Amino acid sequence: MNVWLLAGLIAVGVVAVVIKRLIGEPLKARDLFVTPLVLTGLGVLALSHAQRLNGADIAWTVTGAVLGLALGAVRGRTVQVFEKQGVLWQRYTGRTFLVLVVSVVVMGGFGLLAAKMGMHEEARPMQLSIGVGFLGEALVIGRRGMVSGVPFAPERSG
């Protein structure tokens, strides 16, 4: 698949998720985890097809994934999780966007440092970076939802 087409599709998907969460939406367990897991899986798949990876690339990739997961978890702490109509809802807050901006700056700096230290471009798939960030967020929000005692919103029937 064309790299620009893939980047465009990912960008559209991420923007759609962010807009829905800014407005507020019912918190559905499947919706919470599908996007991060798909993006992370696509990133791992891209890594598996990379030709010139070495031990340093893997170390930088794993470190970046852990950092992205941690930043996503911090972002997940800023998401408002609340009860509405007897089920859980979620909404992004101003603090969520502040953490998002800080995360982009930190991850951008990390990426520049990794490239400066010789990390190969194919060891830095964008899908993996975005996926692990959303996964960190989802894990925190999911845990908060589970301990709240309020049920997750039901999945759409169909």
Side-chain angles (χ1 to χ4, degrees), residues 57-112:
D57 289 328
I58 299 301
W60 280 104
T61 301
V62 169
T63 303
V66 170
L67 181 59
L69 192 69
L71 290 168
V74 171
R75 190 173 61 245
R77 294 288 306 147
T78 68
V79 174
Q80 184 181 20
V81 177
F82 58 98
E83 180 180 352
K84 182 175 177 181
Q85 301 169 345
V87 297
L88 287 171
W89 278 60
Q90 67 177 336
R91 180 181 304 127
Y92 277 9
T93 65
R95 288 183 22 214
T96 307
F97 288 100
L98 178 62
V99 172
L100 180 61
V101 168
V102 169
S103 297
V104 168
V105 170
V106 168
M107 291 305 292
F110 180 84
L112 288 173

Side-chain angles (χ1 to χ4, degrees), residues 14 19 21 32 37 39 67 72-73 98 131 149:
V14 168
I19 288 172
R21 291 183 183 171
L32 188 62
L37 291 174
L39 288 171
L67 181 59
L98 178 62

Side-chain angles (χ1 to χ4, degrees), residues 10-156:
I10 291 169
V12 167
V14 168
V15 167
V17 168
V18 169
I19 288 172
K20 283 175 39 178
R21 291 183 183 171
L22 178 61
I23 295 168
E25 67 175 337
L27 184 54
K28 299 174 184 170
R30 185 171 52 184
D31 289 351
L32 188 62
F33 288 100
V34 167
T35 299
L37 291 174
V38 167
L39 288 171
T40 301
L42 288 171
V44 170
L45 182 64
L47 279 175
S48 73
H49 288 100
Q51 300 294 321
R52 304 179 303 154
L53 298 185
N54 57 38
D57 289 328
I58 299 301
W60 280 104
T61 301
V62 169
T63 303
V66 170
L67 181 59
L69 192 69
L71 290 168
V74 171
R75 190 173 61 245
R77 294 288 306 147
T78 68
V79 174
Q80 184 181 20
V81 177
F82 58 98
E83 180 180 352
K84 182 175 177 181
Q85 301 169 345
V87 297
L88 287 171
W89 278 60
Q90 67 177 336
R91 180 181 304 127
Y92 277 9
T93 65
R95 288 183 22 214
T96 307
F97 288 100
L98 178 62
V99 172
L100 180 61
V101 168
V102 169
S103 297
V104 168
V105 170
V106 168
M107 291 305 292
F110 180 84
L112 288 173
L113 177 63
K116 184 85 168 159
M117 298 300 289
M119 183 181 189
H120 291 102
E121 180 68 29
E122 57 262 349
R124 296 184 285 141
M126 179 178 25
Q127 314 89 295
L128 182 62
S129 297
I130 296 169
V132 296
F134 273 128
L135 185 58
E137 178 183 313
L139 289 170
V140 169
I141 293 170
R143 169 110 172 98
R144 289 173 59 206
M146 289 175 65
V147 300
S148 74
V150 178
F152 284 85
E155 301 296 330
R156 291 182 280 277

